[in-house]
Amino acid sequence: MSEIQGNGMRPGRPRAIVVGSGAGGAAAARELQGPYQVTVLEAGREFRRLGLSTRWLERLRNWRLLVDERIISLAFPAMRIRRSREGLVHVNGLGTGGTTTLSAGNALRMDGPLRELGIDLDREFEELAREVPISAGHGGGWSAETRRLFELCRESGLAPRPAPKMVDLDRCRRCGRCVLGCPHGAKWDSRRFLDDARAGGARLVTGCRVRKVVIRAGRAVGVRARIGARTVFIPADLVVLSAGGLGTPPILERSGIRCEPRLFVDPVLCVAAPWPGSRQHRELPMAFVVQRPGYIISPYFDYLSFLFNRRWRRPADRILTLMIKLADSERGRARGRGGRLDKTLTVEDRRRLAEAEALCRNLLVRLGARPEDIFVGTLNAGHPGGMLPLTEADASTLHPDRLPANLYVADATLLPRSQGNPPILTILALARRVARVAAAAAGAGRAAPRPAA
Ligand SMILES: Cc1cc2nc3c(=O)[nH]c(=O)nc-3n(C[C@H](O)[C@H](O)[C@H](O)COP(=O)(O)OP(=O)(O)OC[C@H]3O[C@@H](n4cnc5c(N)ncnc54)[C@H](O)[C@@H]3O)c2cc1C
Ligand code: SF4
């Protein structure tokens, strides 16, 4: 095994490794670069959006070439799809920007469960509001169907509201391809924070899959990782794990640190009707949200079902969809070995999903769809987290006791429970605070002395 020492780094500064460059990793790297010499280790490559047009995708589908969701990564390596043992499809980003590059651009503050623990992130949210372009003023670009759905929800007392978007609306062309990577540089994703960290001197190593944290005498001394066929050891004074809700727990467990079988994923189910002339695939996705106890509903063109679900083999401009995003029970795990995921929906999860589906069917019928024509999509999920949940005892340190003093987690793994709502903004705020706490703890003399090279 070879050792990477960080060529070109300024000597003398403590070294921090940040694993992953998604929401949590980019926010932590940007904060730590300065007090630390940061190296970001990213399993994937530089992000590339999916270039194929919707017409071409439709052709490939009609030629029956798209047989399984997992093959999407052949054309679009930044999207990784896995199936849990129970058949639930999990979607994640792999590459710079992590899953934020695939986001629908929603920017909701969802820190209720953290606040209940005594964690106040007001300062971080205020800073983010100045740094990330967030606006809900996109109503002028909505399709006629979206406007009618919005009105219908309002008349039904569902209190819909335009979704705040981390999108530069002047540059947005309403092309509807947010989840395939924005072609116009309008959507904010965490590569912007990664670029800031790099401009400050941070180093990025792509194609570097971290296997475990190396812990000696109760302290993290670095990480073991695979770069191509090579296994390398990369030393560090501080290690921050931000490999996401499915990536961080296996690294912890390989390092001998137990996680909790409390995986949540925010399952998504789309309910659709045939709708000639629909323009939903050509507008900002999730233009508005209805927030109900335990789930949200929102208009959304579901590419995953459109491409891979037999019931959806119809032209894109003939489908009108409402998405349900559920707050699921914390039950499941991402395993280190074999990569299998366990995620079960409980009876209560299924009950709430059925309630939400009935509401969506009702709305589509009131809009003019025939009940017998309505069809549902593939049950999938893309907001994993919760396997090392923060507790009241961690409120000031943001550092669960079982971690060595100089090992931190800064991603969705720390979130205490599912909210069935978009989490990026909350993860950015939390990761920034974790990085601040880590740097302050090290400044107070708790960082490991640099091991001899
Ligand atoms: C289709 C889709 C749309 C979404 N839309 C929204 C939205 O509109 N708004 C919102 O708030 N949320 C949205 N989300 C969810 C959001 O993107 C994620 O919850 C968020 O990005 C999670 O942040 P994270 O830091 O925990 O992990 P990620 O952003 O997933 O980052 C993890 C990073 O770690 C890397 N990695 C993994 N394993 C390793 C390893 N072993 N070694 C090195 N690197 C590793 C990955 O490549 C990745 O870069 C969406 C998700 C999906 C799938
Ligand atoms: S709708 Fe198109 S241009 Fe606008 S943010 Fe999404 S991908 Fe970018």
Side-chain angles (χ1 to χ4, degrees), residues 19-25 41-44 79 91-108 165-166 179 190 208-211 242-248 251 254 286 300 325 380-384 410-413 421-425 427:
V19 180
S21 63
L41 304 178
E42 168 53 58
M79 183 180 271
V91 184
N92 284 101
L94 178 70
T96 54
T99 314
T100 68
T101 55
L102 311 181
S103 93
N106 298 303
L108 276 81
K165 294 284 177 187
M166 37 187 128
V179 300
S190 68
C208 176
R209 180 170 291 280
V210 171
R211 302 285 302 159
S242 304
L246 300 181
T248 290
I251 298 174
R254 278 188 221 106
M286 298 183 72
Y300 179 72
K325 196 183 290 290
N380 68 94
H383 298 183
D411 64 20
T413 309
N421 266 281
I424 289 176
L425 202 60
I427 298 169

Short mmCIF file of all heavy atoms in Angstrom, two decimals, residues 19-25 41-44 79 91-108 165-166 179 190 208-211 242-248 251 254 286 300 325 380-384 410-413 421-425 427, ligand 1:
data_model
loop_
_atom_site.label_atom_id
_atom_site.label_comp_id
_atom_site.label_asym_id
_atom_site.label_seq_id
_atom_site.Cartn_x
_atom_site.Cartn_y
_atom_site.Cartn_z
N VAL A 19 -14.22 13.61 2.99
CA VAL A 19 -14.59 12.51 2.10
C VAL A 19 -15.95 12.82 1.48
O VAL A 19 -16.96 12.89 2.17
CB VAL A 19 -14.64 11.17 2.87
CG1 VAL A 19 -15.04 10.03 1.94
CG2 VAL A 19 -13.31 10.90 3.54
N GLY A 20 -15.97 13.05 0.16
CA GLY A 20 -17.21 13.37 -0.55
C GLY A 20 -17.31 14.86 -0.82
O GLY A 20 -16.81 15.68 -0.04
N SER A 21 -17.95 15.21 -1.95
CA SER A 21 -18.04 16.63 -2.33
C SER A 21 -19.48 17.05 -2.61
O SER A 21 -19.74 17.96 -3.37
CB SER A 21 -17.17 16.89 -3.56
OG SER A 21 -17.66 16.13 -4.66
N GLY A 22 -20.44 16.35 -1.98
CA GLY A 22 -21.85 16.72 -2.11
C GLY A 22 -22.17 17.87 -1.17
O GLY A 22 -21.31 18.70 -0.84
N ALA A 23 -23.44 17.92 -0.74
CA ALA A 23 -23.87 19.04 0.10
C ALA A 23 -22.98 19.18 1.34
O ALA A 23 -22.41 20.24 1.60
CB ALA A 23 -25.34 18.83 0.51
N GLY A 24 -22.85 18.10 2.10
CA GLY A 24 -22.08 18.18 3.34
C GLY A 24 -20.59 18.38 3.10
O GLY A 24 -19.95 19.22 3.74
N GLY A 25 -20.01 17.63 2.16
CA GLY A 25 -18.57 17.66 1.94
C GLY A 25 -18.09 19.02 1.44
O GLY A 25 -17.09 19.57 1.92
N LEU A 41 -11.57 14.00 -0.98
CA LEU A 41 -11.47 12.72 -1.68
C LEU A 41 -12.85 12.36 -2.20
O LEU A 41 -13.81 12.24 -1.43
CB LEU A 41 -10.97 11.63 -0.71
CG LEU A 41 -9.63 11.94 -0.02
CD1 LEU A 41 -9.25 10.82 0.94
CD2 LEU A 41 -8.52 12.16 -1.06
N GLU A 42 -12.96 12.22 -3.49
CA GLU A 42 -14.27 12.03 -4.12
C GLU A 42 -14.25 10.72 -4.93
O GLU A 42 -13.39 10.56 -5.80
CB GLU A 42 -14.58 13.25 -5.02
CG GLU A 42 -15.76 13.10 -5.96
CD GLU A 42 -17.04 12.67 -5.26
OE1 GLU A 42 -17.50 13.36 -4.35
OE2 GLU A 42 -17.59 11.61 -5.66
N ALA A 43 -15.20 9.85 -4.65
CA ALA A 43 -15.22 8.53 -5.32
C ALA A 43 -15.49 8.66 -6.81
O ALA A 43 -14.93 7.91 -7.62
CB ALA A 43 -16.28 7.64 -4.67
N GLY A 44 -16.35 9.59 -7.19
CA GLY A 44 -16.71 9.73 -8.61
C GLY A 44 -15.76 10.68 -9.33
O GLY A 44 -14.73 11.09 -8.80
N MET A 79 -25.03 9.55 -12.04
CA MET A 79 -26.21 9.03 -11.36
C MET A 79 -26.00 7.56 -11.03
O MET A 79 -25.75 6.75 -11.92
CB MET A 79 -27.46 9.21 -12.22
CG MET A 79 -28.73 8.76 -11.51
SD MET A 79 -30.21 8.97 -12.53
CE MET A 79 -30.70 10.63 -12.14
N VAL A 91 -31.62 6.44 -5.64
CA VAL A 91 -30.90 7.28 -6.62
C VAL A 91 -29.93 8.18 -5.86
O VAL A 91 -30.33 8.86 -4.90
CB VAL A 91 -31.89 8.18 -7.38
CG1 VAL A 91 -31.16 8.99 -8.45
CG2 VAL A 91 -33.01 7.37 -7.99
N ASN A 92 -28.67 8.19 -6.29
CA ASN A 92 -27.67 9.06 -5.67
C ASN A 92 -26.72 9.64 -6.68
O ASN A 92 -26.51 9.05 -7.73
CB ASN A 92 -26.81 8.25 -4.68
CG ASN A 92 -27.57 8.00 -3.42
OD1 ASN A 92 -28.09 6.93 -3.22
ND2 ASN A 92 -27.66 9.02 -2.58
N GLY A 93 -26.10 10.76 -6.30
CA GLY A 93 -25.08 11.34 -7.15
C GLY A 93 -23.73 10.72 -6.84
O GLY A 93 -23.43 10.44 -5.69
N LEU A 94 -22.93 10.52 -7.88
CA LEU A 94 -21.57 10.00 -7.70
C LEU A 94 -20.66 10.89 -8.53
O LEU A 94 -20.70 10.85 -9.76
CB LEU A 94 -21.49 8.54 -8.18
CG LEU A 94 -20.12 7.90 -8.09
CD1 LEU A 94 -19.72 7.65 -6.64
CD2 LEU A 94 -20.11 6.56 -8.84
N GLY A 95 -19.87 11.71 -7.86
CA GLY A 95 -18.99 12.63 -8.59
C GLY A 95 -19.02 13.99 -7.91
O GLY A 95 -19.70 14.17 -6.89
N THR A 96 -18.27 14.94 -8.48
CA THR A 96 -18.21 16.25 -7.83
C THR A 96 -19.62 16.84 -7.73
O THR A 96 -20.42 16.76 -8.66
CB THR A 96 -17.30 17.21 -8.61
OG1 THR A 96 -17.74 17.26 -9.97
CG2 THR A 96 -15.84 16.77 -8.57
N GLY A 97 -19.91 17.40 -6.57
CA GLY A 97 -21.25 17.95 -6.33
C GLY A 97 -22.21 16.93 -5.75
O GLY A 97 -23.32 17.30 -5.34
N GLY A 98 -21.81 15.65 -5.73
CA GLY A 98 -22.66 14.61 -5.13
C GLY A 98 -24.07 14.64 -5.68
O GLY A 98 -24.30 14.88 -6.87
N THR A 99 -25.05 14.44 -4.81
CA THR A 99 -26.45 14.36 -5.26
C THR A 99 -27.02 15.75 -5.53
O THR A 99 -28.07 15.86 -6.16
CB THR A 99 -27.29 13.59 -4.22
OG1 THR A 99 -26.58 12.41 -3.84
CG2 THR A 99 -28.62 13.16 -4.80
N THR A 100 -26.32 16.81 -5.11
CA THR A 100 -26.88 18.15 -5.37
C THR A 100 -26.95 18.44 -6.87
O THR A 100 -27.78 19.22 -7.32
CB THR A 100 -26.06 19.27 -4.68
OG1 THR A 100 -24.77 19.38 -5.28
CG2 THR A 100 -25.91 19.03 -3.18
N THR A 101 -26.09 17.80 -7.67
CA THR A 101 -26.12 18.03 -9.12
C THR A 101 -27.39 17.46 -9.75
O THR A 101 -27.76 17.84 -10.86
CB THR A 101 -24.90 17.38 -9.81
OG1 THR A 101 -24.90 15.99 -9.44
CG2 THR A 101 -23.60 18.02 -9.39
N LEU A 102 -28.05 16.52 -9.05
CA LEU A 102 -29.26 15.88 -9.58
C LEU A 102 -30.52 16.50 -8.97
O LEU A 102 -31.63 16.03 -9.23
CB LEU A 102 -29.27 14.38 -9.23
CG LEU A 102 -28.01 13.58 -9.54
CD1 LEU A 102 -28.23 12.13 -9.14
CD2 LEU A 102 -27.67 13.68 -11.02
N SER A 103 -30.35 17.52 -8.16
CA SER A 103 -31.50 18.00 -7.39
C SER A 103 -32.48 18.75 -8.28
O SER A 103 -32.14 19.21 -9.38
CB SER A 103 -31.03 18.90 -6.24
OG SER A 103 -31.02 20.25 -6.64
N ALA A 104 -33.70 18.88 -7.74
CA ALA A 104 -34.72 19.67 -8.43
C ALA A 104 -34.61 21.15 -8.04
O ALA A 104 -35.46 21.95 -8.41
CB ALA A 104 -36.10 19.13 -8.09
N GLY A 105 -33.58 21.47 -7.29
CA GLY A 105 -33.29 22.88 -6.97
C GLY A 105 -34.06 23.44 -5.78
O GLY A 105 -33.98 24.64 -5.50
N ASN A 106 -34.79 22.59 -5.06
CA ASN A 106 -35.57 23.11 -3.92
C ASN A 106 -34.68 23.48 -2.76
O ASN A 106 -33.75 22.74 -2.42
CB ASN A 106 -36.57 22.06 -3.44
CG ASN A 106 -37.56 21.71 -4.51
OD1 ASN A 106 -38.25 22.58 -5.02
ND2 ASN A 106 -37.59 20.44 -4.89
N ALA A 107 -34.99 24.62 -2.15
CA ALA A 107 -34.17 25.11 -1.04
C ALA A 107 -35.07 25.40 0.16
O ALA A 107 -35.44 26.54 0.38
CB ALA A 107 -33.42 26.36 -1.47
N LEU A 108 -35.42 24.35 0.89
CA LEU A 108 -36.29 24.55 2.05
C LEU A 108 -35.49 24.39 3.35
O LEU A 108 -34.66 23.49 3.45
CB LEU A 108 -37.44 23.54 2.05
CG LEU A 108 -38.65 23.93 1.19
CD1 LEU A 108 -38.40 23.61 -0.26
CD2 LEU A 108 -39.90 23.22 1.66
N LYS A 165 -36.38 28.14 -4.86
CA LYS A 165 -35.43 27.40 -5.71
C LYS A 165 -34.04 27.99 -5.60
O LYS A 165 -33.88 29.22 -5.64
CB LYS A 165 -35.86 27.51 -7.17
CG LYS A 165 -37.17 26.82 -7.48
CD LYS A 165 -36.99 25.33 -7.53
CE LYS A 165 -38.30 24.61 -7.76
NZ LYS A 165 -38.19 23.16 -7.65
N MET A 166 -33.04 27.11 -5.51
CA MET A 166 -31.66 27.60 -5.59
C MET A 166 -31.28 27.64 -7.07
O MET A 166 -30.52 26.81 -7.57
CB MET A 166 -30.69 26.78 -4.75
CG MET A 166 -30.89 25.31 -4.70
SD MET A 166 -29.76 24.58 -3.50
CE MET A 166 -30.89 23.64 -2.51
N VAL A 179 -32.90 17.43 -12.90
CA VAL A 179 -32.43 16.19 -12.28
C VAL A 179 -31.43 15.44 -13.18
O VAL A 179 -30.86 14.44 -12.75
CB VAL A 179 -33.60 15.27 -11.88
CG1 VAL A 179 -34.53 15.96 -10.89
CG2 VAL A 179 -34.37 14.77 -13.09
N SER A 190 -23.48 22.04 -5.16
CA SER A 190 -22.40 22.23 -4.19
C SER A 190 -21.03 22.34 -4.84
O SER A 190 -20.04 22.62 -4.16
CB SER A 190 -22.41 21.11 -3.14
OG SER A 190 -22.05 19.88 -3.73
N CYS A 208 -11.39 8.46 -6.16
CA CYS A 208 -10.74 7.99 -4.93
C CYS A 208 -11.83 7.52 -3.95
O CYS A 208 -12.52 8.34 -3.35
CB CYS A 208 -9.93 9.13 -4.32
SG CYS A 208 -9.16 8.69 -2.75
N ARG A 209 -12.00 6.22 -3.85
CA ARG A 209 -13.06 5.67 -3.00
C ARG A 209 -12.50 5.31 -1.63
O ARG A 209 -11.65 4.42 -1.52
CB ARG A 209 -13.68 4.44 -3.66
CG ARG A 209 -14.80 3.81 -2.84
CD ARG A 209 -15.54 2.75 -3.63
NE ARG A 209 -16.33 3.34 -4.70
CZ ARG A 209 -17.52 3.90 -4.53
NH1 ARG A 209 -18.06 3.95 -3.33
NH2 ARG A 209 -18.16 4.42 -5.55
N VAL A 210 -12.94 6.02 -0.62
CA VAL A 210 -12.44 5.76 0.74
C VAL A 210 -13.10 4.50 1.28
O VAL A 210 -14.31 4.32 1.19
CB VAL A 210 -12.73 6.99 1.64
CG1 VAL A 210 -12.41 6.66 3.09
CG2 VAL A 210 -11.91 8.17 1.16
N ARG A 211 -12.25 3.61 1.81
CA ARG A 211 -12.75 2.35 2.36
C ARG A 211 -12.96 2.46 3.86
O ARG A 211 -13.96 2.05 4.39
CB ARG A 211 -11.75 1.22 2.08
CG ARG A 211 -11.45 1.00 0.62
CD ARG A 211 -12.57 0.31 -0.09
NE ARG A 211 -12.87 -0.98 0.51
CZ ARG A 211 -14.03 -1.63 0.38
NH1 ARG A 211 -15.00 -1.09 -0.31
NH2 ARG A 211 -14.22 -2.81 0.96
N SER A 242 -18.23 12.83 4.67
CA SER A 242 -19.41 13.41 4.03
C SER A 242 -19.73 12.61 2.77
O SER A 242 -19.98 13.17 1.71
CB SER A 242 -19.16 14.87 3.66
OG SER A 242 -18.77 15.63 4.77
N ALA A 243 -19.72 11.30 2.90
CA ALA A 243 -19.97 10.43 1.74
C ALA A 243 -21.46 10.17 1.56
O ALA A 243 -21.84 9.33 0.75
CB ALA A 243 -19.19 9.13 1.89
N GLY A 244 -22.30 10.87 2.31
CA GLY A 244 -23.75 10.77 2.15
C GLY A 244 -24.36 9.69 3.03
O GLY A 244 -23.65 8.86 3.64
N GLY A 245 -25.69 9.69 3.06
CA GLY A 245 -26.42 8.79 3.95
C GLY A 245 -26.22 7.31 3.66
O GLY A 245 -26.40 6.47 4.53
N LEU A 246 -25.84 6.99 2.40
CA LEU A 246 -25.54 5.59 2.06
C LEU A 246 -24.05 5.32 2.03
O LEU A 246 -23.63 4.16 2.08
CB LEU A 246 -26.14 5.23 0.69
CG LEU A 246 -27.65 5.37 0.52
CD1 LEU A 246 -28.08 4.95 -0.88
CD2 LEU A 246 -28.40 4.56 1.57
N GLY A 247 -23.23 6.37 1.92
CA GLY A 247 -21.78 6.19 1.79
C GLY A 247 -21.03 6.25 3.11
O GLY A 247 -20.07 5.50 3.33
N THR A 248 -21.45 7.13 4.00
CA THR A 248 -20.71 7.30 5.26
C THR A 248 -20.86 6.10 6.21
O THR A 248 -19.84 5.65 6.77
CB THR A 248 -21.15 8.63 5.94
OG1 THR A 248 -20.64 9.72 5.14
CG2 THR A 248 -20.62 8.76 7.34
N ILE A 251 -18.39 3.26 5.62
CA ILE A 251 -17.00 3.62 5.96
C ILE A 251 -16.82 3.54 7.48
O ILE A 251 -15.83 3.00 7.98
CB ILE A 251 -16.67 5.05 5.46
CG1 ILE A 251 -16.77 5.12 3.94
CG2 ILE A 251 -15.26 5.48 5.91
CD1 ILE A 251 -16.61 6.53 3.36
N ARG A 254 -16.69 -0.16 8.55
CA ARG A 254 -15.41 -0.79 8.21
C ARG A 254 -14.30 -0.30 9.13
O ARG A 254 -13.27 -0.93 9.27
CB ARG A 254 -15.02 -0.48 6.77
CG ARG A 254 -15.69 -1.37 5.76
CD ARG A 254 -15.10 -1.11 4.38
NE ARG A 254 -16.16 -1.11 3.40
CZ ARG A 254 -16.65 -0.03 2.80
NH1 ARG A 254 -16.13 1.16 3.01
NH2 ARG A 254 -17.64 -0.13 1.95
N MET A 286 -41.08 20.54 -9.74
CA MET A 286 -41.54 20.82 -8.37
C MET A 286 -41.75 22.33 -8.18
O MET A 286 -41.19 22.93 -7.28
CB MET A 286 -40.56 20.26 -7.34
CG MET A 286 -40.41 18.74 -7.41
SD MET A 286 -39.33 18.06 -6.16
CE MET A 286 -40.32 18.21 -4.68
N TYR A 300 -44.30 17.15 -10.90
CA TYR A 300 -42.94 16.68 -11.17
C TYR A 300 -42.95 15.73 -12.35
O TYR A 300 -43.71 14.76 -12.34
CB TYR A 300 -42.42 15.96 -9.93
CG TYR A 300 -41.03 15.38 -10.03
CD1 TYR A 300 -39.92 16.20 -10.05
CD2 TYR A 300 -40.84 14.00 -10.09
CE1 TYR A 300 -38.65 15.66 -10.12
CE2 TYR A 300 -39.57 13.45 -10.15
CZ TYR A 300 -38.48 14.29 -10.18
OH TYR A 300 -37.22 13.77 -10.25
N LYS A 325 -43.71 12.73 -1.80
CA LYS A 325 -42.45 12.44 -1.10
C LYS A 325 -42.81 12.22 0.37
O LYS A 325 -43.40 13.08 1.01
CB LYS A 325 -41.48 13.60 -1.24
CG LYS A 325 -40.06 13.22 -0.90
CD LYS A 325 -39.13 14.40 -0.97
CE LYS A 325 -38.86 14.92 -2.35
NZ LYS A 325 -38.05 14.03 -3.16
N ASN A 380 -39.26 5.02 -5.49
CA ASN A 380 -37.82 5.27 -5.44
C ASN A 380 -37.50 6.24 -4.31
O ASN A 380 -38.41 6.73 -3.63
CB ASN A 380 -37.33 5.78 -6.79
CG ASN A 380 -37.85 7.16 -7.09
OD1 ASN A 380 -37.20 8.16 -6.83
ND2 ASN A 380 -39.07 7.25 -7.65
N ALA A 381 -36.22 6.52 -4.13
CA ALA A 381 -35.84 7.38 -3.00
C ALA A 381 -34.49 8.00 -3.27
O ALA A 381 -33.65 7.41 -3.94
CB ALA A 381 -35.78 6.55 -1.72
N GLY A 382 -34.29 9.22 -2.72
CA GLY A 382 -33.00 9.89 -2.97
C GLY A 382 -32.55 10.80 -1.84
O GLY A 382 -31.68 11.64 -2.06
N HIS A 383 -33.13 10.64 -0.64
CA HIS A 383 -32.70 11.48 0.49
C HIS A 383 -32.26 10.59 1.65
O HIS A 383 -32.83 10.67 2.74
CB HIS A 383 -33.86 12.34 1.00
CG HIS A 383 -34.43 13.32 0.03
ND1 HIS A 383 -35.43 14.20 0.37
CD2 HIS A 383 -34.14 13.57 -1.27
CE1 HIS A 383 -35.74 14.95 -0.67
NE2 HIS A 383 -34.99 14.58 -1.69
N PRO A 384 -31.25 9.75 1.48
CA PRO A 384 -30.90 8.84 2.57
C PRO A 384 -30.20 9.55 3.73
O PRO A 384 -29.49 10.53 3.52
CB PRO A 384 -29.94 7.85 1.90
CG PRO A 384 -29.29 8.65 0.81
CD PRO A 384 -30.33 9.62 0.33
N ALA A 410 -20.22 14.94 8.55
CA ALA A 410 -20.90 16.17 8.13
C ALA A 410 -21.73 15.88 6.89
O ALA A 410 -21.37 16.25 5.77
CB ALA A 410 -19.88 17.27 7.86
N ASP A 411 -22.83 15.20 7.06
CA ASP A 411 -23.77 14.96 5.95
C ASP A 411 -25.09 14.48 6.53
O ASP A 411 -25.32 14.56 7.74
CB ASP A 411 -23.17 13.98 4.92
CG ASP A 411 -22.93 12.58 5.49
OD1 ASP A 411 -23.54 12.24 6.52
OD2 ASP A 411 -22.14 11.83 4.89
N ALA A 412 -25.96 13.93 5.66
CA ALA A 412 -27.31 13.54 6.08
C ALA A 412 -27.32 12.41 7.11
O ALA A 412 -28.35 12.17 7.75
CB ALA A 412 -28.12 13.14 4.86
N THR A 413 -26.19 11.73 7.26
CA THR A 413 -26.10 10.65 8.25
C THR A 413 -26.46 11.14 9.66
O THR A 413 -26.92 10.39 10.50
CB THR A 413 -24.65 10.08 8.24
OG1 THR A 413 -24.31 9.78 6.89
CG2 THR A 413 -24.51 8.83 9.07
N ASN A 421 -38.99 15.96 3.02
CA ASN A 421 -38.81 17.30 2.45
C ASN A 421 -37.38 17.44 1.97
O ASN A 421 -36.49 16.75 2.46
CB ASN A 421 -39.08 18.36 3.53
CG ASN A 421 -40.51 18.85 3.52
OD1 ASN A 421 -40.89 19.66 2.69
ND2 ASN A 421 -41.32 18.31 4.43
N PRO A 422 -37.15 18.38 1.04
CA PRO A 422 -35.78 18.52 0.51
C PRO A 422 -34.77 18.95 1.59
O PRO A 422 -34.99 19.96 2.25
CB PRO A 422 -35.94 19.62 -0.55
CG PRO A 422 -37.40 19.61 -0.89
CD PRO A 422 -38.11 19.25 0.36
N PRO A 423 -33.67 18.22 1.74
CA PRO A 423 -32.76 18.49 2.87
C PRO A 423 -31.49 19.28 2.57
O PRO A 423 -30.72 19.56 3.48
CB PRO A 423 -32.38 17.08 3.33
CG PRO A 423 -32.36 16.28 2.06
CD PRO A 423 -33.37 16.91 1.13
N ILE A 424 -31.22 19.66 1.29
CA ILE A 424 -29.89 20.20 0.97
C ILE A 424 -29.53 21.40 1.84
O ILE A 424 -28.44 21.48 2.42
CB ILE A 424 -29.79 20.61 -0.52
CG1 ILE A 424 -29.76 19.37 -1.41
CG2 ILE A 424 -28.52 21.45 -0.79
CD1 ILE A 424 -29.76 19.66 -2.90
N LEU A 425 -30.45 22.35 1.93
CA LEU A 425 -30.14 23.59 2.66
C LEU A 425 -29.77 23.28 4.12
O LEU A 425 -28.82 23.85 4.67
CB LEU A 425 -31.35 24.54 2.58
CG LEU A 425 -31.08 26.01 2.79
CD1 LEU A 425 -30.11 26.55 1.75
CD2 LEU A 425 -32.40 26.79 2.74
N ILE A 427 -28.60 20.42 5.28
CA ILE A 427 -27.30 19.72 5.35
C ILE A 427 -26.16 20.72 5.19
O ILE A 427 -25.13 20.64 5.88
CB ILE A 427 -27.21 18.61 4.27
CG1 ILE A 427 -28.30 17.56 4.51
CG2 ILE A 427 -25.83 17.96 4.26
CD1 ILE A 427 -28.47 16.57 3.36
C1 LIG B 1 -33.31 13.16 -8.14
C2 LIG B 1 -33.05 13.89 -6.83
C3 LIG B 1 -33.55 15.18 -6.67
C4 LIG B 1 -33.31 15.86 -5.47
N1 LIG B 1 -33.78 17.14 -5.34
C5 LIG B 1 -33.54 17.82 -4.19
C6 LIG B 1 -33.96 19.18 -4.05
O1 LIG B 1 -34.57 19.75 -4.96
N2 LIG B 1 -33.67 19.83 -2.90
C7 LIG B 1 -33.04 19.20 -1.85
O2 LIG B 1 -32.85 19.83 -0.81
N3 LIG B 1 -32.64 17.90 -1.96
C8 LIG B 1 -32.84 17.21 -3.11
N4 LIG B 1 -32.38 15.93 -3.23
C9 LIG B 1 -31.65 15.32 -2.12
C10 LIG B 1 -30.24 15.88 -1.95
O3 LIG B 1 -29.59 16.03 -3.19
C11 LIG B 1 -29.42 15.00 -1.01
O4 LIG B 1 -30.21 14.70 0.14
C12 LIG B 1 -28.14 15.70 -0.56
O5 LIG B 1 -27.33 16.02 -1.67
C13 LIG B 1 -27.38 14.80 0.40
O6 LIG B 1 -26.19 15.45 0.79
P1 LIG B 1 -25.00 14.59 1.41
O7 LIG B 1 -23.88 15.50 1.65
O8 LIG B 1 -25.54 13.80 2.57
O9 LIG B 1 -24.62 13.50 0.29
P2 LIG B 1 -24.32 13.65 -1.27
O10 LIG B 1 -24.71 14.98 -1.79
O11 LIG B 1 -24.93 12.45 -1.91
O12 LIG B 1 -22.73 13.56 -1.35
C14 LIG B 1 -22.02 12.38 -1.07
C15 LIG B 1 -20.71 12.42 -1.84
O13 LIG B 1 -19.83 11.41 -1.37
C16 LIG B 1 -19.23 10.73 -2.47
N5 LIG B 1 -18.87 9.40 -1.96
C17 LIG B 1 -19.71 8.38 -1.64
N6 LIG B 1 -19.00 7.34 -1.14
C18 LIG B 1 -17.69 7.72 -1.15
C19 LIG B 1 -16.47 7.09 -0.76
N7 LIG B 1 -16.46 5.84 -0.24
N8 LIG B 1 -15.29 7.76 -0.94
C20 LIG B 1 -15.28 9.03 -1.46
N9 LIG B 1 -16.42 9.68 -1.83
C21 LIG B 1 -17.60 9.03 -1.67
C22 LIG B 1 -20.30 10.76 -3.54
O14 LIG B 1 -19.75 10.61 -4.84
C23 LIG B 1 -20.87 12.17 -3.33
O15 LIG B 1 -20.11 13.15 -4.02
C24 LIG B 1 -32.60 15.22 -4.42
C25 LIG B 1 -32.12 13.92 -4.58
C26 LIG B 1 -32.34 13.26 -5.78
C27 LIG B 1 -31.81 11.86 -5.94
#
